[in-house]
Amino acid sequence: GRRRREAAEEEVEETPQEKKLRLAKQYLEELRQLGESRPAPGAVLGCCCAWGGVLGSPAHILLFLQVQPPDPARIRVLRGHQLPVTCLVISPDDRFIFSASKDGSLIKCKWEVDSGKRLCVVPGGKKGTEERHMGHASQVLCMAISSDGKYLATGDRNKLIMIWDAATCKRLHIFTGHRDAVSGLSFRKGTHQLYSASHDRCVKVWDVAENAYVETLFGHQDIITGLDSLSRECCVTAGGRDGTVRLWKIPEESQLIFSGHQGSIDCIQLINEEHMVSGADDGSVALWGLTKKKPLALARQAHGEQGMQGLQQPCWISAVAALRNSDLLATGSHSGSVKLWKCGEGFRKLEHLLDIPLVGFVNSLKFSAAGDFLVAGIGQEHRLGRWWRIKEAKNSICIIPLKRKTTASSPESPGSS
């Protein structure tokens, strides 16, 4: 009886729409295991309609093929930032990369993926001069791009959020209101609604198209270190040393609290509307389902340990990324490699696939929308501090090509998706 009560306490109440989505995905997983590819009539359609088509076709729900180890000689390195890269985003059409760093004079760059050329540079200035020039006057910690590629948002240590025209790199507006460093930004998919998180422990909602503040959400007991969102009117946050991940339901003004890491939770990303991944400075990577308060899977010391014999400490997880609506994840640390993972057994298991050698702190990771390359922002220091320095690292952006393994499966098989 005690076990049943504990299990019931771990369950999070789900809406009829969430139940419908869960049952549809469960059915698709059963189809995959049976080697069939034809969905039940209306099952996926109902799922997509209920969620505004966010999951796309059944192929987006079925598992992706494993990737091949990339050839190190084909990893492209883009140099331009003098200090550690702190954050980056890829444009929705996969043509451009926007990056920012701790640089005092070179704050934001726009790169062309195909050529590797730097197309736009926005110089920074001294503190207090934001109104007189285009760029930030302090370290940029986060950025986000709208799903239509129109707006780019950047947040800095000086409590400011700047909104840019992504095409021209022209600054459009400055949002003020946070009382400490802005540490997370995300546009709600399909809209110009922007969520921001800060070291002041709160989440704010903005309407970028109207240059308007909407509301503030409170709950975390420590600085917020990361934030992400998809199509639903909600966002997820990592709460640093308060040890919680939170799902914020904006219309209901409510939140769900998840716990499982032992250290400071420093990064988070949604995989799909039902699952997310997070990383902490205790070296663990956690896989979550939004109907469970505890992790579905937990990889401890995911990037190994560092330090002298008897004084080893786990390598901090400084970045996580997910190829949206797939089973492919990437994690970064200062361990000398980026690791790729597969979410197995219906998102209940984390399976290590391969390592990609990269020297330095991996401060940001992003998959391209098509899943054909991964971008890493590398620095000699961690994006949030200067605890120690890796001198041999290059402050740079690395574009890592990804190839999927070829299989002998027929075009009709789920693996061919």
Side-chain angles (χ1 to χ4, degrees):
R2 182 173 59 82
R3 282 205 224 43
R4 283 198 296 272
R5 284 196 301 274
E6 288 176 352
E9 287 174 0
E10 284 190 7
E11 294 287 344
V12 177
E13 184 180 352
E14 58 183 348
T15 66
Q17 285 184 334
E18 290 170 335
K19 183 176 181 181
K20 195 172 187 180
L21 175 63
R22 177 172 59 80
L23 293 175
K25 293 188 74 176
Q26 181 181 329
Y27 182 84
L28 284 168
E29 176 63 17
E30 291 171 359
L31 285 181
R32 187 190 69 80
Q33 292 175 355
L34 291 171
E36 299 176 12
S37 60
R38 182 175 56 85
V44 177
L45 180 61
C47 154
C48 292
C49 290
W51 293 90
V54 296
L55 292 176
S57 64
H60 290 104
I61 303 172
L62 298 175
L63 303 184
F64 276 79
L65 300 177
Q66 292 184 356
V67 293
Q68 292 177 319
D71 179 359
R74 297 194 61 206
I75 297 176
R76 291 188 289 151
V77 179
L78 309 183
R79 299 290 305 277
H81 292 289
Q82 301 303 310
L83 292 180
V85 176
T86 54
C87 54
L88 58 85
V89 293
I90 305 172
S91 63
D93 58 8
D94 288 345
R95 292 180 57 202
F96 306 106
I97 297 168
F98 296 88
S99 62
S101 77
K102 294 184 178 183
D103 299 3
S105 59
L106 188 64
I107 293 295
K108 185 170 69 70
C109 292
K110 179 179 180 179
W111 311 81
E112 187 176 52
V113 171
D114 288 343
S115 66
K117 291 181 179 178
R118 194 169 62 188
L119 302 179
C120 177
V121 176
V122 180
K126 295 182 179 180
K127 186 175 180 179
T129 64
E130 288 87 355
E131 294 294 342
R132 298 200 298 273
H133 65 86
M134 287 276 286
H136 289 270
S138 62
Q139 297 176 6
V140 180
L141 298 181
C142 54
M143 60 171 53
I145 192 166
S146 58
S147 55
D148 61 0
K150 183 176 181 180
Y151 296 113
L152 181 76
T154 53
D156 68 15
R157 279 199 178 274
N158 199 29
K159 317 169 193 175
L160 299 180
I161 299 169
M162 294 191 182
I163 307 300
W164 309 80
D165 182 314
T168 64
C169 291
K170 179 183 178 182
R171 194 179 74 195
L172 303 176
H173 192 69
I174 298 179
F175 286 134
T176 59
H178 280 296
R179 292 175 286 109
D180 206 335
V182 181
S183 53
L185 290 168
S186 180
F187 279 94
R188 180 185 171 198
K189 189 176 178 181
T191 75
H192 293 145
Q193 188 176 60
L194 177 69
Y195 304 119
S196 65
S198 168
H199 288 183
D200 65 12
R201 308 182 184 184
C202 72
V203 174
K204 290 185 183 290
V205 185
W206 314 84
D207 185 332
V208 171
E210 299 295 330
N211 292 336
Y213 159 79
V214 179
E215 62 179 312
T216 302
L217 309 169
F218 299 94
H220 276 294
Q221 302 303 306
D222 192 36
I223 66 171
I224 302 176
T225 54
L227 175 147
D228 195 25
S229 67
L230 281 174
S231 297
R232 295 169 59 192
E233 198 169 356
C234 64
C235 62
V236 294
T237 53
R241 296 209 171 273
D242 78 1
T244 67
V245 166
R246 301 193 182 217
L247 168 69
W248 305 82
K249 296 185 176 182
I250 311 299
E252 295 93 335
E253 296 184 359
S254 65
Q255 56 188 287
L256 302 178
I257 302 174
F258 307 82
S259 58
H261 290 286
Q262 299 301 311
S264 174
I265 308 173
D266 289 346
C267 45
I268 189 165
Q269 187 170 13
L270 284 159
I271 303 169
N272 52 41
E273 297 284 6
E274 258 192 10
H275 300 91
M276 56 186 169
V277 60
S278 61
D281 70 359
D282 63 359
S284 63
V285 175
L287 184 60
W288 309 82
L290 299 188
T291 59
K292 288 279 188 181
K293 294 181 180 179
K294 299 292 182 182
L296 299 178
L298 186 69
R300 302 184 189 278
Q301 297 184 8
H303 280 255
E305 294 180 311
Q306 63 166 7
M308 296 183 295
Q309 185 69 28
L311 297 173
Q312 296 98 331
Q313 293 290 328
C315 293
W316 300 356
I317 307 301
S318 51
V320 294
L323 180 56
R324 302 289 197 189
N325 301 317
S326 81
D327 66 344
L328 185 61
L329 306 178
T331 58
S333 181
H334 55 277
S335 60
S337 67
V338 167
K339 291 181 181 286
L340 296 187
W341 306 78
K342 175 184 175 180
C343 304
E345 297 181 7
F347 290 92
R348 292 186 178 275
K349 185 177 180 182
L350 274 171
E351 302 173 14
H352 176 237
L353 295 177
L354 56 93
D355 289 3
I356 302 168
L358 284 178
V359 178
F361 280 89
V362 181
N363 288 327
S364 186
L365 285 170
K366 290 289 186 295
F367 282 101
S368 64
D372 53 355
F373 64 90
L374 173 68
V375 182
I378 306 297
Q380 293 181 329
E381 302 167 351
H382 191 283
R383 73 183 182 99
L384 295 178
R386 304 188 65 183
W387 297 282
W388 68 93
R389 194 162 174 259
I390 301 175
K391 293 182 179 179
E392 59 271 25
K394 306 294 184 184
N395 299 318
S396 58
I397 295 156
C398 296
I399 302 177
I400 305 161
L402 298 176
K403 283 188 177 181
R404 296 175 191 159
K405 290 182 180 178
T406 57
T407 65
S409 60
S410 65
E412 290 77 25
S413 69
S416 65
S417 64

PDB file of all heavy atoms in Angstrom, residues 262-289:
ATOM      1  N   GLN A 262      21.453  16.055  -7.656  1.00  0.00           N
ATOM      2  CA  GLN A 262      22.033  16.326  -6.346  1.00  0.00           C
ATOM      3  C   GLN A 262      22.796  17.649  -6.310  1.00  0.00           C
ATOM      4  O   GLN A 262      23.090  18.163  -5.233  1.00  0.00           O
ATOM      5  CB  GLN A 262      22.983  15.182  -5.944  1.00  0.00           C
ATOM      6  CG  GLN A 262      22.310  13.829  -5.837  1.00  0.00           C
ATOM      7  CD  GLN A 262      21.184  13.811  -4.831  1.00  0.00           C
ATOM      8  OE1 GLN A 262      21.359  14.260  -3.701  1.00  0.00           O
ATOM      9  NE2 GLN A 262      20.028  13.305  -5.233  1.00  0.00           N
ATOM     10  N   GLY A 263      23.134  18.203  -7.457  1.00  0.00           N
ATOM     11  CA  GLY A 263      23.901  19.449  -7.511  1.00  0.00           C
ATOM     12  C   GLY A 263      23.104  20.567  -8.146  1.00  0.00           C
ATOM     13  O   GLY A 263      21.876  20.501  -8.291  1.00  0.00           O
ATOM     14  N   SER A 264      23.811  21.629  -8.541  1.00  0.00           N
ATOM     15  CA  SER A 264      23.179  22.771  -9.199  1.00  0.00           C
ATOM     16  C   SER A 264      22.769  22.382 -10.625  1.00  0.00           C
ATOM     17  O   SER A 264      23.592  21.911 -11.412  1.00  0.00           O
ATOM     18  CB  SER A 264      24.160  23.950  -9.254  1.00  0.00           C
ATOM     19  OG  SER A 264      23.626  25.019 -10.008  1.00  0.00           O
ATOM     20  N   ILE A 265      21.498  22.589 -10.948  1.00  0.00           N
ATOM     21  CA  ILE A 265      20.990  22.259 -12.291  1.00  0.00           C
ATOM     22  C   ILE A 265      21.278  23.448 -13.191  1.00  0.00           C
ATOM     23  O   ILE A 265      20.713  24.525 -13.017  1.00  0.00           O
ATOM     24  CB  ILE A 265      19.485  21.941 -12.241  1.00  0.00           C
ATOM     25  CG1 ILE A 265      19.205  20.887 -11.169  1.00  0.00           C
ATOM     26  CG2 ILE A 265      18.997  21.464 -13.610  1.00  0.00           C
ATOM     27  CD1 ILE A 265      17.727  20.633 -10.921  1.00  0.00           C
ATOM     28  N   ASP A 266      22.172  23.255 -14.165  1.00  0.00           N
ATOM     29  CA  ASP A 266      22.705  24.385 -14.931  1.00  0.00           C
ATOM     30  C   ASP A 266      22.179  24.521 -16.348  1.00  0.00           C
ATOM     31  O   ASP A 266      22.403  25.546 -16.991  1.00  0.00           O
ATOM     32  CB  ASP A 266      24.240  24.289 -14.981  1.00  0.00           C
ATOM     33  CG  ASP A 266      24.877  24.586 -13.629  1.00  0.00           C
ATOM     34  OD1 ASP A 266      24.171  25.116 -12.755  1.00  0.00           O
ATOM     35  OD2 ASP A 266      26.069  24.286 -13.457  1.00  0.00           O
ATOM     36  N   CYS A 267      21.501  23.502 -16.886  1.00  0.00           N
ATOM     37  CA  CYS A 267      21.034  23.593 -18.273  1.00  0.00           C
ATOM     38  C   CYS A 267      19.833  22.675 -18.470  1.00  0.00           C
ATOM     39  O   CYS A 267      19.710  21.637 -17.802  1.00  0.00           O
ATOM     40  CB  CYS A 267      22.154  23.237 -19.253  1.00  0.00           C
ATOM     41  SG  CYS A 267      23.101  21.759 -18.802  1.00  0.00           S
ATOM     42  N   ILE A 268      18.966  23.055 -19.408  1.00  0.00           N
ATOM     43  CA  ILE A 268      17.742  22.287 -19.640  1.00  0.00           C
ATOM     44  C   ILE A 268      17.257  22.516 -21.064  1.00  0.00           C
ATOM     45  O   ILE A 268      17.471  23.601 -21.632  1.00  0.00           O
ATOM     46  CB  ILE A 268      16.644  22.704 -18.629  1.00  0.00           C
ATOM     47  CG1 ILE A 268      15.444  21.760 -18.702  1.00  0.00           C
ATOM     48  CG2 ILE A 268      16.205  24.156 -18.849  1.00  0.00           C
ATOM     49  CD1 ILE A 268      14.511  21.901 -17.520  1.00  0.00           C
ATOM     50  N   GLN A 269      16.631  21.489 -21.662  1.00  0.00           N
ATOM     51  CA  GLN A 269      15.982  21.658 -22.958  1.00  0.00           C
ATOM     52  C   GLN A 269      14.856  20.649 -23.108  1.00  0.00           C
ATOM     53  O   GLN A 269      14.961  19.502 -22.664  1.00  0.00           O
ATOM     54  CB  GLN A 269      16.959  21.508 -24.127  1.00  0.00           C
ATOM     55  CG  GLN A 269      16.283  21.865 -25.456  1.00  0.00           C
ATOM     56  CD  GLN A 269      17.250  21.981 -26.615  1.00  0.00           C
ATOM     57  OE1 GLN A 269      18.400  21.584 -26.531  1.00  0.00           O
ATOM     58  NE2 GLN A 269      16.776  22.523 -27.728  1.00  0.00           N
ATOM     59  N   LEU A 270      13.779  21.097 -23.752  1.00  0.00           N
ATOM     60  CA  LEU A 270      12.667  20.212 -24.091  1.00  0.00           C
ATOM     61  C   LEU A 270      13.047  19.358 -25.291  1.00  0.00           C
ATOM     62  O   LEU A 270      13.635  19.855 -26.259  1.00  0.00           O
ATOM     63  CB  LEU A 270      11.409  21.023 -24.400  1.00  0.00           C
ATOM     64  CG  LEU A 270      10.671  21.599 -23.177  1.00  0.00           C
ATOM     65  CD1 LEU A 270       9.780  22.762 -23.597  1.00  0.00           C
ATOM     66  CD2 LEU A 270       9.850  20.522 -22.496  1.00  0.00           C
ATOM     67  N   ILE A 271      12.706  18.073 -25.234  1.00  0.00           N
ATOM     68  CA  ILE A 271      12.909  17.169 -26.368  1.00  0.00           C
ATOM     69  C   ILE A 271      11.673  17.199 -27.264  1.00  0.00           C
ATOM     70  O   ILE A 271      11.760  17.248 -28.480  1.00  0.00           O
ATOM     71  CB  ILE A 271      13.151  15.731 -25.871  1.00  0.00           C
ATOM     72  CG1 ILE A 271      14.352  15.702 -24.919  1.00  0.00           C
ATOM     73  CG2 ILE A 271      13.364  14.780 -27.045  1.00  0.00           C
ATOM     74  CD1 ILE A 271      14.506  14.394 -24.168  1.00  0.00           C
ATOM     75  N   ASN A 272      10.519  17.131 -26.638  1.00  0.00           N
ATOM     76  CA  ASN A 272       9.228  17.273 -27.303  1.00  0.00           C
ATOM     77  C   ASN A 272       8.268  17.838 -26.263  1.00  0.00           C
ATOM     78  O   ASN A 272       8.703  18.286 -25.203  1.00  0.00           O
ATOM     79  CB  ASN A 272       8.745  15.924 -27.882  1.00  0.00           C
ATOM     80  CG  ASN A 272       8.761  14.811 -26.846  1.00  0.00           C
ATOM     81  OD1 ASN A 272       8.384  15.003 -25.690  1.00  0.00           O
ATOM     82  ND2 ASN A 272       9.215  13.632 -27.235  1.00  0.00           N
ATOM     83  N   GLU A 273       6.978  17.825 -26.537  1.00  0.00           N
ATOM     84  CA  GLU A 273       6.027  18.425 -25.602  1.00  0.00           C
ATOM     85  C   GLU A 273       5.832  17.583 -24.345  1.00  0.00           C
ATOM     86  O   GLU A 273       5.157  18.024 -23.411  1.00  0.00           O
ATOM     87  CB  GLU A 273       4.669  18.641 -26.300  1.00  0.00           C
ATOM     88  CG  GLU A 273       4.705  19.602 -27.473  1.00  0.00           C
ATOM     89  CD  GLU A 273       4.794  21.065 -27.053  1.00  0.00           C
ATOM     90  OE1 GLU A 273       4.952  21.347 -25.848  1.00  0.00           O
ATOM     91  OE2 GLU A 273       4.711  21.934 -27.934  1.00  0.00           O
ATOM     92  N   GLU A 274       6.404  16.402 -24.306  1.00  0.00           N
ATOM     93  CA  GLU A 274       6.211  15.497 -23.174  1.00  0.00           C
ATOM     94  C   GLU A 274       7.471  15.198 -22.387  1.00  0.00           C
ATOM     95  O   GLU A 274       7.398  14.705 -21.267  1.00  0.00           O
ATOM     96  CB  GLU A 274       5.640  14.158 -23.672  1.00  0.00           C
ATOM     97  CG  GLU A 274       4.165  13.990 -23.447  1.00  0.00           C
ATOM     98  CD  GLU A 274       3.736  12.549 -23.686  1.00  0.00           C
ATOM     99  OE1 GLU A 274       4.601  11.667 -23.844  1.00  0.00           O
ATOM    100  OE2 GLU A 274       2.531  12.298 -23.710  1.00  0.00           O
ATOM    101  N   HIS A 275       8.653  15.453 -22.970  1.00  0.00           N
ATOM    102  CA  HIS A 275       9.904  15.052 -22.340  1.00  0.00           C
ATOM    103  C   HIS A 275      10.939  16.174 -22.397  1.00  0.00           C
ATOM    104  O   HIS A 275      10.905  17.015 -23.302  1.00  0.00           O
ATOM    105  CB  HIS A 275      10.485  13.805 -23.018  1.00  0.00           C
ATOM    106  CG  HIS A 275       9.580  12.618 -22.972  1.00  0.00           C
ATOM    107  ND1 HIS A 275       8.660  12.348 -23.967  1.00  0.00           N
ATOM    108  CD2 HIS A 275       9.432  11.633 -22.032  1.00  0.00           C
ATOM    109  CE1 HIS A 275       7.993  11.246 -23.660  1.00  0.00           C
ATOM    110  NE2 HIS A 275       8.430  10.801 -22.496  1.00  0.00           N
ATOM    111  N   MET A 276      11.871  16.159 -21.438  1.00  0.00           N
ATOM    112  CA  MET A 276      12.945  17.153 -21.412  1.00  0.00           C
ATOM    113  C   MET A 276      14.204  16.519 -20.842  1.00  0.00           C
ATOM    114  O   MET A 276      14.174  15.439 -20.237  1.00  0.00           O
ATOM    115  CB  MET A 276      12.530  18.368 -20.580  1.00  0.00           C
ATOM    116  CG  MET A 276      12.119  18.055 -19.163  1.00  0.00           C
ATOM    117  SD  MET A 276      11.478  19.523 -18.310  1.00  0.00           S
ATOM    118  CE  MET A 276      10.794  18.774 -16.828  1.00  0.00           C
ATOM    119  N   VAL A 277      15.337  17.206 -21.034  1.00  0.00           N
ATOM    120  CA  VAL A 277      16.621  16.732 -20.542  1.00  0.00           C
ATOM    121  C   VAL A 277      17.299  17.883 -19.803  1.00  0.00           C
ATOM    122  O   VAL A 277      17.162  19.048 -20.176  1.00  0.00           O
ATOM    123  CB  VAL A 277      17.513  16.216 -21.696  1.00  0.00           C
ATOM    124  CG1 VAL A 277      17.794  17.325 -22.714  1.00  0.00           C
ATOM    125  CG2 VAL A 277      18.823  15.634 -21.172  1.00  0.00           C
ATOM    126  N   SER A 278      18.024  17.550 -18.719  1.00  0.00           N
ATOM    127  CA  SER A 278      18.707  18.573 -17.943  1.00  0.00           C
ATOM    128  C   SER A 278      20.077  18.056 -17.513  1.00  0.00           C
ATOM    129  O   SER A 278      20.324  16.848 -17.476  1.00  0.00           O
ATOM    130  CB  SER A 278      17.886  18.969 -16.703  1.00  0.00           C
ATOM    131  OG  SER A 278      17.697  17.844 -15.850  1.00  0.00           O
ATOM    132  N   GLY A 279      20.977  18.988 -17.179  1.00  0.00           N
ATOM    133  CA  GLY A 279      22.316  18.634 -16.721  1.00  0.00           C
ATOM    134  C   GLY A 279      22.688  19.433 -15.494  1.00  0.00           C
ATOM    135  O   GLY A 279      22.213  20.570 -15.313  1.00  0.00           O
ATOM    136  N   ALA A 280      23.533  18.847 -14.624  1.00  0.00           N
ATOM    137  CA  ALA A 280      23.876  19.496 -13.362  1.00  0.00           C
ATOM    138  C   ALA A 280      25.380  19.438 -13.105  1.00  0.00           C
ATOM    139  O   ALA A 280      26.111  18.677 -13.753  1.00  0.00           O
ATOM    140  CB  ALA A 280      23.119  18.838 -12.211  1.00  0.00           C
ATOM    141  N   ASP A 281      25.824  20.215 -12.108  1.00  0.00           N
ATOM    142  CA  ASP A 281      27.257  20.227 -11.799  1.00  0.00           C
ATOM    143  C   ASP A 281      27.683  19.025 -10.951  1.00  0.00           C
ATOM    144  O   ASP A 281      28.861  18.910 -10.593  1.00  0.00           O
ATOM    145  CB  ASP A 281      27.663  21.553 -11.144  1.00  0.00           C
ATOM    146  CG  ASP A 281      27.133  21.723  -9.728  1.00  0.00           C
ATOM    147  OD1 ASP A 281      26.428  20.820  -9.227  1.00  0.00           O
ATOM    148  OD2 ASP A 281      27.420  22.773  -9.107  1.00  0.00           O
ATOM    149  N   ASP A 282      26.742  18.130 -10.626  1.00  0.00           N
ATOM    150  CA  ASP A 282      27.133  16.863 -10.008  1.00  0.00           C
ATOM    151  C   ASP A 282      27.487  15.819 -11.061  1.00  0.00           C
ATOM    152  O   ASP A 282      27.722  14.650 -10.738  1.00  0.00           O
ATOM    153  CB  ASP A 282      26.022  16.333  -9.091  1.00  0.00           C
ATOM    154  CG  ASP A 282      24.732  16.000  -9.834  1.00  0.00           C
ATOM    155  OD1 ASP A 282      24.678  16.188 -11.069  1.00  0.00           O
ATOM    156  OD2 ASP A 282      23.776  15.549  -9.191  1.00  0.00           O
ATOM    157  N   GLY A 283      27.524  16.260 -12.331  1.00  0.00           N
ATOM    158  CA  GLY A 283      27.912  15.377 -13.426  1.00  0.00           C
ATOM    159  C   GLY A 283      26.789  14.536 -13.991  1.00  0.00           C
ATOM    160  O   GLY A 283      27.023  13.712 -14.877  1.00  0.00           O
ATOM    161  N   SER A 284      25.561  14.741 -13.532  1.00  0.00           N
ATOM    162  CA  SER A 284      24.446  13.898 -13.971  1.00  0.00           C
ATOM    163  C   SER A 284      23.644  14.536 -15.091  1.00  0.00           C
ATOM    164  O   SER A 284      23.517  15.760 -15.184  1.00  0.00           O
ATOM    165  CB  SER A 284      23.517  13.577 -12.794  1.00  0.00           C
ATOM    166  OG  SER A 284      22.932  14.758 -12.282  1.00  0.00           O
ATOM    167  N   VAL A 285      23.108  13.665 -15.946  1.00  0.00           N
ATOM    168  CA  VAL A 285      22.174  14.062 -17.004  1.00  0.00           C
ATOM    169  C   VAL A 285      20.854  13.342 -16.715  1.00  0.00           C
ATOM    170  O   VAL A 285      20.846  12.126 -16.512  1.00  0.00           O
ATOM    171  CB  VAL A 285      22.696  13.665 -18.401  1.00  0.00           C
ATOM    172  CG1 VAL A 285      21.665  13.979 -19.476  1.00  0.00           C
ATOM    173  CG2 VAL A 285      24.002  14.383 -18.700  1.00  0.00           C
ATOM    174  N   ALA A 286      19.759  14.096 -16.673  1.00  0.00           N
ATOM    175  CA  ALA A 286      18.458  13.519 -16.327  1.00  0.00           C
ATOM    176  C   ALA A 286      17.493  13.639 -17.491  1.00  0.00           C
ATOM    177  O   ALA A 286      17.453  14.662 -18.183  1.00  0.00           O
ATOM    178  CB  ALA A 286      17.871  14.211 -15.093  1.00  0.00           C
ATOM    179  N   LEU A 287      16.730  12.578 -17.699  1.00  0.00           N
ATOM    180  CA  LEU A 287      15.678  12.533 -18.707  1.00  0.00           C
ATOM    181  C   LEU A 287      14.348  12.521 -17.967  1.00  0.00           C
ATOM    182  O   LEU A 287      14.134  11.698 -17.076  1.00  0.00           O
ATOM    183  CB  LEU A 287      15.844  11.268 -19.553  1.00  0.00           C
ATOM    184  CG  LEU A 287      14.912  11.034 -20.730  1.00  0.00           C
ATOM    185  CD1 LEU A 287      15.035  12.159 -21.746  1.00  0.00           C
ATOM    186  CD2 LEU A 287      15.242   9.695 -21.382  1.00  0.00           C
ATOM    187  N   TRP A 288      13.449  13.466 -18.319  1.00  0.00           N
ATOM    188  CA  TRP A 288      12.208  13.651 -17.575  1.00  0.00           C
ATOM    189  C   TRP A 288      10.992  13.436 -18.474  1.00  0.00           C
ATOM    190  O   TRP A 288      11.017  13.773 -19.655  1.00  0.00           O
ATOM    191  CB  TRP A 288      12.120  15.066 -17.010  1.00  0.00           C
ATOM    192  CG  TRP A 288      13.294  15.546 -16.242  1.00  0.00           C
ATOM    193  CD1 TRP A 288      14.456  16.074 -16.741  1.00  0.00           C
ATOM    194  CD2 TRP A 288      13.446  15.564 -14.811  1.00  0.00           C
ATOM    195  NE1 TRP A 288      15.305  16.420 -15.722  1.00  0.00           N
ATOM    196  CE2 TRP A 288      14.717  16.118 -14.529  1.00  0.00           C
ATOM    197  CE3 TRP A 288      12.621  15.183 -13.756  1.00  0.00           C
ATOM    198  CZ2 TRP A 288      15.189  16.293 -13.227  1.00  0.00           C
ATOM    199  CZ3 TRP A 288      13.087  15.354 -12.457  1.00  0.00           C
ATOM    200  CH2 TRP A 288      14.355  15.893 -12.201  1.00  0.00           C
ATOM    201  N   GLY A 289       9.915  12.955 -17.879  1.00  0.00           N
ATOM    202  CA  GLY A 289       8.596  12.966 -18.496  1.00  0.00           C
ATOM    203  C   GLY A 289       7.727  13.926 -17.709  1.00  0.00           C
ATOM    204  O   GLY A 289       7.819  13.989 -16.467  1.00  0.00           O
TER     205      GLY A 289
END
